[in-house]
Amino acid sequence: MPQRYDAIVIGGGHNGLVSAAYLARAGLKTLVLEQRHVLGGAAVTEELFPGYRFSVFSYVVSLLRPEIIRELDLPRHGLDILPLDGTFTPLRPGEGRPAPKDGNGNPIGSGDYLWRVNDHGRTVRELRRWSKLDAEAYSEYGQLMVDMARFIKPILSIVPPDPASLDPRPLLPLGGLLRSFARLTERQQAVFVQLMTMSAFDFLSQWFETDPLKATMSASGIIGTFQGIKSPGTAYVLLHHYMGEIDGAFRAWGIPKGGTGGISEAIGRAAAANGAEIRTEARVARIQVGGGRASGVVLESGEEIEAGAVLSSVDVRRTFIDLVEPGTLDPEFETEVRRFKFRGSSGKVNLALDALPSFTCLPGEGEHLRGAISFSPSTEEMEQAYDDAKYGRWSARPYVDVIIPTLVDPSMAPPGKHIMSCFVQYAPYQLDPSLGSWDDNRELFGDAVVNRIAEFAPDLPSKILYRNVQTPLDIERTTGLTEGNIFQGELSLEQLFFSRPVPGWARFKTPIRDLWLCGSATHPGGGIMGANGRIAALELLRSKRGRGRAA
Amino acid sequence: MTATRPRMGGWDAVVIGGGHNGLVAAAYMARGGLRTLVLERRERLGGAADTAELARNVRVPALAHTVGRLRPSIQRDLRLSSHGLSLVAPEVRVFAPNPEGGAVVLWAEAQQTSAGIWARAADAGAGGARSSAARDADAYLAFDQRVRHLGRFLDQLGRAVPPDTAAPGIDDALAALRLGRSFRGLGKDGTRTLLRVLPMAVADLVGEAFEDDALRAAIAWRGVRYGAVGPWSAGTATTLLTDGAGNDGGAAGETVFARGGPGRLAEALAGAARAVGVEIRTAAEVTAITSRDGAATGVVLADGEEIPAVAVVSGLDPKRTLLELLDPVALGPSLGWRAGNIRTPGVTAKVNLAVRRLPKFAAAGDDERLLRGRILVAPGIDAMERAFDASKYGRWSERPVLEATIPSLVDPSLVEGARAGTHVISVIAQYAPYALRGRDWEDDREAFGDAVVEVLESVAPGIGKLVSHRQVLLPPDLERLYGLTGGHPLHAEAALDQWFLWRPLLGHARYRIALERLYLCGSGAHPGGGVTGGPGQNAAREVLADLRRR
């Protein structure tokens, strides 16, 4: 007789584990099934080279919901987030303000940089060097964004209503939101509307004139999306940078001790402590559906496991197209699922270094290497990187977001050595056929990334011991993320809130009874946030109580 | 210039700008009993609905070349046909020849378009191309239906005055309720679809529906026309759907000419306005709006003349109205900052040509009918996007996207008296950014004109040699001639960040702006640009409501 659980969670990524922890905490007999030998999905730490451990895919964290940390008591289970201080934007020789030139008009000197740190006063002083106006605007802008973040934050933990439904109850949480919107000043309201509709570039241009500042700030609007900094709809993501900051408990950005896998492991331990069972190397082949309801899963090994409910933390294409027997779904729903856009656009290059690289504009080791290093010298280069991707090419001169985790967590590499994590935008999943496949392009792409960094830190190539390149195809192969989209589907306006993942099905339920979604494909989207897993679990528990009462 | 003698008791409303929206607003206000004066800076009325003389006896639509979106209620209410407006609607809406051969043709009748796509399938022979064209033929009918279905709601939205969200009254609640009801009227599927597609990129919208890139591009064009956006920009689906709202737009969009050129529309509107008592002065440039204690009190002309009025209604774009005509102190720093950030990135150029005889378009063969609608050279989604890319970096497109019309084909009166065989070609060309990086437009004007002719040459070989006169109007020209800030034909970019409740600014979308009894009635106000008369009609309603309450 097959085993039976109250709930099975497909996928042991951070969201799946969060769901499992909440379900187990509520007393449900819960099983997590992970296809790989490690937990974490895209939030994993692996020893790619002997002695060098990497957050292979994701790399920083800021959005992990404080209520999850609290409710699951994650610090007790080993969660430790180390603050990441500031963003350093190096420029090339001759760039910056004022750009020194020799008698023939050729650039001289080592170039400038733009360095923002968590110390507001210091950042403002640094900005004043560039533009008095920008330095003034920076404080005003920061305050406005904090106000906005405070206003928007409740959205992250509500279940999106269906605007087409005649039932007014799900709209109730929106009422509170509308009331708090009405309490904003007219200007704040106007800025909120702009955040939801504008491009990051246009939005920031209202305050700032310093180009490297605009380039670096707008970069956070495009991470993981197939959009440029001038694409409408990218301003919203800027807000996320301010979400963590206002919650006292947390620093804006941090890296988890032991890599992003450290988060997954802590959540996994919390789930296990609450009684959830976790199995790795257990690949689900099919979700069993009978009579319109999910009744369990079949593993690739042929093993059948029954369950009262199945929660899928994998993306919608995997869930509905790959795991559900063809012909089960309502054709209209299936059309909508197939229409959901993935369009992975990011790559990752993981480097093991013999020693730290030295930047021309600020040589040697120092504090500037301890935060994020943003290769975003100009808005024009950022936009051109996107233009490459639009036509199916990886960016010849990509935007790269680098961190050197070993400077805050030396345990990741042998003594004296370092690792460098390079997040790269853009690497479109669909390459122009004339370029061949990603397998033909992997190392060329890796070279482009290293060369890009070497424009600013010429000694980097000589410091590299090992290199690991993750293309969108590799991300898809390893983690199962369709088209390598790190957010389980594009975070474009038409795929958010009540339209995520399918209009009318944004409430974690699916047309198959007892099959639920709990991954980044649902509201409020991707990033190491855990909100999706938590709301899904709470929604499931609520519906069970409702059903219990009805019975 | 004739001095204006205010009638007894002075003017109730003075309208700044005699563009089509200003005239519409004036006519409705006068019908409502207001003593109304229109002040136009130029000698001619109509603003961007303008007919210009390109050469002796050769008249050409100076900027806008079609007028088919004009609200039917305005045509009826103001009895425009009795004031000389006569419209011509050719049965072909769009002819989109491809430089590689072949063409997409969109007809007024969707069935005919669909049949044409089928016929292309037959030409494609057997295999994949054939079956995908067959699918597109069916998809076209469904898409056309969908655009019309969603368009009905957007049309209602366009007719509504955006509700007051700050201090809603009963009227606002009723208006919101009515909109809510018509939103529900879309049905479950319709409401979800609308909310999903509004923020989409038009490339995705047509990509979901069709497989043929040329067909996709022919339809997507209206999502980017006049805008500093490419087909991959989010929100361009809204622009397309709004363009299809109201009049019989559908997937093909309208193609309707005013006999005698678009200026004839302005003349008809002026006639209708005068008939209800509006006084109109041309060559009367307003240089300031006067105010006292936060309320508009009148205007000042360039020659110093002051004209007091109870209400001031501006048909100019919001940026110009607020930043050029108002006292900055009266405007206040916060609204001043917001007004300065209204986006007006003009990227549209207009190239007007006179040709010695009708050019031959390779894909049209001898079928002259095909040339009577809008002739679109936008061979694919990527081609449009690449044309847009240049403008992001302050360069003009080397292969611009073109929408051309040959109005003299449907309306020979435009070339009456000219040498036999003469035709005029009116070309909207994108993208030509308002400011070039590191270059002066004066050095590039003719080069850009050449680029436009070269693109035409790719679908109509030999056309270049037929050109006898050429006029290249760039965004800075549009700014100078028509007062359009940034040279933006729509007064303010039509995008989701400047839409409905926040067009032009949140809290100021109800035609009342900055001061008591100062109103906007031009394209910068809801429901936006294009020759619809919508903002003028809506604004007049609000002015009348306010002035009656006094």
Side-chain angles (χ1 to χ4, degrees), chain A residues 162-166 181 186-187 189-190 193-194 197-198 202 206-207 227 230 232 336 339 341 343 380 383-384 386-387 390-391 493-494 498-499 503-504, chain B residues 146 183-184 188-189 191-192 195-196 199-201 204 208 229 232-234 334 337-338 341 343 382 385-386 388-389 392-393 437 496-497 502 506-508:
Chain A
D162 177 5
S165 157
L166 292 171
F181 184 74
E186 185 178 287
R187 180 155 176 238
Q189 291 177 345
V193 169
Q194 292 184 332
T197 52
M198 258 184 164
D202 283 331
Q206 300 183 107
W207 285 272
Q227 304 274 330
K230 294 186 176 175
E336 295 280 352
R339 197 179 268 165
K341 290 182 277 288
R343 296 182 184 156
E380 181 157 332
E383 187 66 16
Q384 276 165 346
Y386 168 59
D387 286 350
K390 275 197 301 198
Y391 307 109
L493 284 177
E494 76 265 26
F498 42 58
S499 298
Chain B
R146 174 176 268 199
F183 180 64
R184 291 252 182 261
K188 233 180 182 160
D189 185 48
T191 51
R192 286 176 184 157
L195 290 171
R196 188 179 74 89
M200 265 169 72
D204 275 328
E208 285 181 1
V229 285
W232 283 112
S233 303
S334 177
W337 180 81
R338 291 177 63 195
N341 285 324
R343 296 192 304 115
D382 276 2
E385 185 72 20
R386 282 184 202 277
F388 164 58
D389 284 346
K392 294 192 293 189
Y393 309 108
R437 180 171 305 172
L496 285 180
D497 61 321
W502 40 87
L506 184 78
H508 304 267

Side-chain angles (χ1 to χ4, degrees), chain B residues 221-233:
Chain B
W221 156 248
R222 286 183 301 137
V224 303
R225 181 169 54 182
Y226 300 129
V229 285
W232 283 112
S233 303

Side-chain angles (χ1 to χ4, degrees), chain B residues 83-177:
Chain B
H83 290 284
L85 180 66
S86 158
L87 302 177
V88 204
E91 55 184 328
V92 62
R93 294 270 172 87
V94 174
F95 165 64
N98 197 305
E100 318 274 289
V104 171
V105 184
L106 309 180
W107 300 89
E109 286 299 324
Q111 287 289 356
Q112 194 176 353
T113 307
S114 177
I117 301 171
W118 258 110
R120 263 161 68 94
D123 292 345
R130 179 176 183 147
S131 62
S132 81
R135 276 195 296 276
D136 280 354
D138 286 340
Y140 184 80
L141 293 177
F143 187 82
D144 184 63
Q145 279 305 314
R146 174 176 268 199
V147 170
R148 287 170 197 274
H149 185 59
L150 300 179
R152 272 193 284 279
F153 170 73
L154 289 171
D155 180 40
Q156 294 220 323
L157 196 74
R159 277 184 276 154
V161 172
D164 188 350
T165 47
I170 289 186
D171 290 355
D172 300 303
L174 286 176
L177 217 64

Side-chain angles (χ1 to χ4, degrees), chain A residues 308-350:
Chain A
V310 177
L311 288 89
S312 173
S313 74
V314 302
D315 68 52
V316 281
R317 193 169 305 166
R318 295 260 169 267
T319 304
F320 293 111
I321 309 299
D322 297 350
L323 295 183
V324 171
E325 183 86 40
T328 311
L329 290 174
D330 167 61
E332 272 178 41
F333 181 81
E334 186 174 329
T335 307
E336 295 280 352
V337 167
R338 289 188 186 275
R339 197 179 268 165
F340 193 67
K341 290 182 277 288
F342 291 91
R343 296 182 184 156
S345 59
S346 325
K348 182 92 188 289
V349 174
N350 297 307

